[in-house]
Amino acid sequence: DVEYAVNGMYDLMASQGYYGAAMFFYGDVKGDDVQSLYSNSRHAYYCYMYEHIPSSLRAGYLWGRPWYVIRQASNILQAVNDNKVKDASQAELSDFVGQAIAARALAHFDLTRCFGYPYAKDKGASWGVPIIDHPLGFDENPIRNTVAECYDFIIAELQKAIPMLSTSKNDGRINQYAARALLARVYLYCEKNAEAYQAASSLIEELKSTQYKLATNANYISQFDLNNKFGSESLFEIANLTTDNPSWNALSYLYHWWGYADMVATREFYDLMASDPDDVRGKLLGKVTQNGINKWWLMKYPGPAYRTPATENNYMVLRLSEVYLIAAEAGVKSGSNKAKALEYLNAISMRANPDDVVTMDQFTLDRVLLERRKELIGEGHRFFDMIRNGRTIYRKGGYHLANVPQEIDWNYYKVVLPIPAEQFKINSDMQQNPEYSRE
């Protein structure tokens, strides 16, 4: 029964309103490298336009669905604590508990970065989300903790989960390596750069003797093929089947030119990739012409054929390439181990183009963010990377839609989502984010 409950926890996560689409497009269309192509009612357009209101987040289910995951994980942990699971071995039980704790930490992390201002803006003093570490009773109405408190909780949860988790590859599930990668990411988000570097670098070195490997230049594109699921870079991947997937609301269908074509790469991003024609990642941009204008669709989530979209693609939440880039960013920020951190950056840049060697005098935060930009497009990072580093997002020229917000930084109140209006009917003590109403 507990195994079924754990499977259900991941199924909740795979919803199109969370990691089936919304968590990824939210982190991309609010940045400068992916844009909405049409003015329509789907949520990618509203995220692109920053049209979030308390009565309708217009951002998938990024408030509700993570709380469902937290509730499911908490119920699993409560059942184990109450000694209701009699037929599992100690190793099995430990792994199930570790997965529930890690999934609950991931959900808190996503809520914190969507509804709370970046840690670096005020050292985490602003409101995050309520910390929920048990199944809520009907009479409980928790209020929001600070961003700093949320990160402290998430880190503690992951540190608790990691030794409980198996190191065996567990397709579609969180194992110890995935939890360690997530911990490194969380450290980076809350400015614990020395810890982020140590967590990422130790994981990289340990994984060199396992089946987890960086994709090579030769198989870089093919690692994203529809049938290449759970590849060598995949640390935690949302699993979808032909019989169980988000259907036409899946991220793959939203991106595909012969699907909904809701999103395309911006002209600025295309020009960036075109400036280095030897960068293998540029081959992930498919050129199409619409009304005499060239546009480029991102082919990270392809179907079985070029003109055929699919809905059963898998989505990598944690990929090994990101761990290398975490180590590089944390290394340049902390100032320690810079030589090794530069090696990690070059492992990514030279994998894409063997001639793209970053020297020590070029090793800056801007250079790392550039590499993250090229490597992680379509995986939900760019908006968060810019905002958490206090950078301004510029969206001008090209073929952006009319009235799109052109300059966004962490002082713009809509870089965080509003707490939904119905929460205040349930709990009048809940705090709203600045400049948003409660209705």
Side-chain angles (χ1 to χ4, degrees):
D1 289 346
V2 74
E3 184 171 13
Y4 290 139
V6 169
N7 289 343
M9 178 180 72
Y10 290 110
D11 194 57
L12 289 167
M13 202 177 289
S15 160
Q16 74 263 23
Y18 193 16
Y19 273 112
M23 195 70 235
F24 294 106
F25 70 63
Y26 181 87
D28 278 304
V29 297
K30 294 186 73 162
D32 48 357
D33 293 334
V34 176
Q35 68 169 90
S36 183
L37 190 58
Y38 305 109
S39 299
N40 59 34
S41 61
R42 281 190 282 270
H43 289 174
Y45 166 75
Y46 288 123
C47 288
Y48 171 63
M49 299 297 289
Y50 284 71
E51 292 187 2
H52 309 299
I53 54 178
S55 60
S56 176
L57 293 187
R58 298 168 171 174
Y61 312 140
L62 294 183
W63 178 259
R65 191 58 53 150
W67 291 119
Y68 292 168
V69 173
I70 289 168
R71 179 179 63 189
Q72 182 86 342
S74 296
N75 285 338
I76 291 167
L77 296 172
Q78 187 66 56
V80 174
N81 289 337
D82 290 345
N83 200 31
K84 292 182 177 179
V85 185
K86 305 287 189 181
D87 56 344
S89 70
Q90 190 57 46
E92 289 173 326
L93 202 58
S94 174
D95 192 51
F96 289 143
V97 169
Q99 289 184 62
I101 294 172
R104 189 168 68 179
L106 173 60
H108 275 93
F109 171 67
D110 291 333
L111 287 163
T112 300
R113 62 181 176 147
C114 289
F115 292 88
Y117 283 98
Y119 181 93
K121 187 176 190 288
D122 55 10
K123 294 185 178 180
S126 54
W127 291 120
V129 295
I131 292 173
I132 307 299
D133 62 357
H134 63 282
L136 287 181
F138 287 108
D139 59 343
E140 292 185 78
N141 292 305
I143 59 172
R144 299 168 73 182
N145 292 84
T146 66
V147 167
E149 289 169 337
C150 288
Y151 279 122
D152 286 345
F153 170 76
I154 295 161
I155 289 167
E157 289 284 277
L158 289 171
Q159 289 173 336
K160 186 191 309 179
I162 286 168
M164 306 182 76
L165 287 162
S166 170
T167 57
S168 298
K169 200 169 192 301
N170 194 0
D171 291 345
R173 308 289 184 267
I174 297 173
N175 68 1
Q176 185 182 119
Y177 299 135
R180 289 168 62 183
L182 177 58
L183 179 60
R185 185 197 287 181
V186 172
Y187 280 141
L188 195 68
Y189 269 65
C190 64
E191 298 288 297
K192 295 183 183 295
N193 294 308
E195 292 91 337
Y197 175 81
Q198 179 58 38
S201 62
S202 62
L203 179 57
I204 291 167
E205 297 305 321
E206 186 174 332
L207 290 180
K208 288 179 178 179
S209 61
T210 71
Q211 61 188 304
Y212 295 97
K213 309 287 182 186
L214 286 178
T216 64
N217 179 282
N219 65 14
Y220 184 82
I221 302 300
S222 64
Q223 72 173 315
F224 298 105
D225 285 353
L226 176 64
N227 295 320
N228 281 355
K229 297 181 177 182
F230 310 114
S232 67
E233 286 207 22
S234 176
L235 297 173
F236 173 46
E237 185 169 323
I238 297 296
N240 288 304
L241 306 172
T242 55
T243 55
D244 182 18
N245 61 69
S247 189
W248 291 350
N249 289 313
L251 185 68
S252 55
Y253 208 86
L254 298 180
Y255 263 115
H256 203 287
W257 187 260
W258 285 271
Y260 281 140
D262 269 5
M263 298 167 284
V264 293
T266 61
R267 179 59 190 247
E268 181 184 359
F269 184 79
Y270 167 76
D271 288 342
L272 170 67
M273 300 310 299
S275 68
D276 182 2
D278 294 324
D279 190 321
V280 69
R281 296 169 296 197
K283 296 179 181 178
L284 286 169
L285 295 178
K287 178 182 175 181
V288 292
T289 303
Q290 184 183 57
N291 299 324
I293 300 174
N294 292 332
K295 297 179 180 179
W296 293 269
W297 67 284
L298 181 65
M299 298 188 292
K300 271 190 175 176
Y301 309 108
Y306 182 74
R307 292 175 179 266
T308 307
T311 60
E312 67 269 22
N313 302 67
N314 282 7
Y315 307 113
M316 279 188 271
V317 178
L318 293 160
R319 182 159 70 93
L320 184 55
S321 287
E322 185 201 348
V323 181
Y324 276 74
L325 291 166
I326 290 171
E329 182 178 341
V332 78
K333 284 179 172 178
S334 66
S336 59
N337 303 299
K338 284 191 71 173
K340 191 66 178 177
L342 178 57
E343 287 183 26
Y344 295 137
L345 181 62
N346 274 317
I348 302 301
S349 65
M350 294 176 66
R351 185 261 305 272
N353 177 357
D355 294 328
D356 188 10
V357 182
V358 183
T359 61
M360 184 58 78
D361 63 318
Q362 297 170 329
F363 187 31
T364 63
L365 177 59
D366 283 339
R367 184 64 183 81
V368 176
L369 292 177
L370 175 63
E371 205 59 40
R372 286 184 65 92
R373 182 180 191 180
K374 293 189 285 187
E375 181 64 34
L376 300 175
I377 183 173
E379 298 178 47
H381 293 277
R382 180 62 176 171
F383 165 72
F384 293 112
D385 286 351
M386 293 293 280
I387 295 302
R388 65 182 173 81
N389 279 295
R391 302 302 173 90
T392 300
I393 296 167
Y394 295 100
R395 306 194 295 179
K396 300 179 180 180
Y399 40 84
H400 283 289
L401 300 180
N403 302 317
V404 64
Q406 294 186 342
E407 296 186 15
I408 303 109
D409 62 25
W410 66 20
N411 292 313
Y412 181 42
Y413 77 100
K414 287 191 175 181
V415 298
V416 295
L417 292 171
I419 303 300
E422 64 264 22
Q423 292 301 310
F424 304 108
K425 299 175 183 177
I426 300 167
N427 181 3
S428 61
D429 293 328
M430 180 74 81
Q431 309 91 338
Q432 181 59 286
N433 278 325
E435 298 190 52
Y436 284 112
S437 74
R438 294 164 66 94
E439 299 177 354

